[in-house]
Amino acid sequence: MRKSVDNVNQEAGTPVNAPETDVLELVHAVMHDYRSRQYRFLRDGPHDITHMDGKVLGFFGRRPGATQSDLVQHTGRDKAQLARLVKGLRERGLLQAQEDEADRRSVRLSLTDEGRAIQRTLQQQAARLRKQAVAGLDEAERAQLTALLQRVKTNLG
């Protein structure tokens, strides 16, 4: 039988309706909704792009000429998994490779024109989603929310 979050909180001595529980559960719910909408856009969109494909395109869009090793170091993901992703994106014509002149064993990767177009579409969708998420909050409220969430992050770090 699976324990509920409420039972775990009670066992830990934290009342179920404690404010810190509510805050973290709300942060989790917000991120779940945000990611769910992102995945839905990717799944239903015209590009047949997975979440990880989008992340890889974003990485090389921000860092043209980076290597696959740079991607592994940045993400902390499995080297073999990322090699398959990069290979697939290259085969689909979304990433291009160029040998590093200083180190022939190293390959520099960047987006193709089609890869850049898809990345722009993904960025535009993310911007619309971010705008929707904070609709109705004025600049001061957004700044306050950002500062408070940063403090929570710092507390956990």
Side-chain angles (χ1 to χ4, degrees):
M1 183 169 122
R2 200 184 99 159
K3 290 182 180 181
S4 74
V5 172
D6 294 340
N7 289 340
V8 171
N9 290 340
Q10 286 175 343
E11 290 171 9
T14 304
V16 174
N17 293 324
E20 61 273 14
T21 302
D22 295 340
V23 168
L24 293 178
E25 287 182 12
L26 184 56
V27 167
H28 174 76
V30 167
M31 285 310 302
H32 176 77
D33 289 347
Y34 179 80
R35 291 209 173 158
S36 177
R37 288 174 185 257
Q38 282 182 314
Y39 293 147
R40 197 173 321 130
F41 176 79
L42 292 171
R43 182 191 65 221
D44 298 341
H47 304 295
D48 191 30
I49 297 289
T50 67
H51 176 70
M52 277 306 296
D53 291 341
K55 287 205 167 282
V56 170
L57 291 176
F59 176 82
F60 289 110
R62 289 184 303 278
R63 297 171 184 83
T67 65
Q68 191 170 300
S69 295
D70 296 332
L71 176 65
V72 169
Q73 184 177 11
H74 175 76
T75 63
R77 297 240 179 204
D78 179 65
K79 184 178 177 179
Q81 175 195 23
L82 292 175
R84 287 188 299 275
L85 274 169
V86 166
K87 180 181 179 199
L89 292 170
R90 286 180 64 186
E91 288 172 352
R92 292 171 56 192
L94 303 178
L95 277 180
Q96 58 192 359
Q98 183 175 357
E99 237 179 42
D100 185 325
E101 293 182 18
D103 181 0
R104 299 256 184 233
R105 297 169 298 170
S106 189
V107 176
R108 301 282 170 185
L109 298 161
S110 58
L111 300 178
T112 63
D113 289 342
E114 185 178 356
R116 272 190 295 283
I118 290 172
Q119 179 57 22
R120 267 192 306 278
T121 301
L122 296 175
Q123 288 173 328
Q124 290 166 351
Q125 168 61 15
R128 283 190 296 272
L129 195 51
R130 285 191 305 270
K131 187 176 180 179
Q132 179 184 359
V134 296
L137 298 178
D138 63 31
E139 190 174 331
E141 290 170 323
R142 288 192 306 271
Q144 182 182 20
L145 178 60
T146 300
L148 291 170
L149 289 172
Q150 185 59 51
R151 190 180 320 161
V152 170
K153 184 179 184 311
T154 299
N155 290 345
L156 293 172

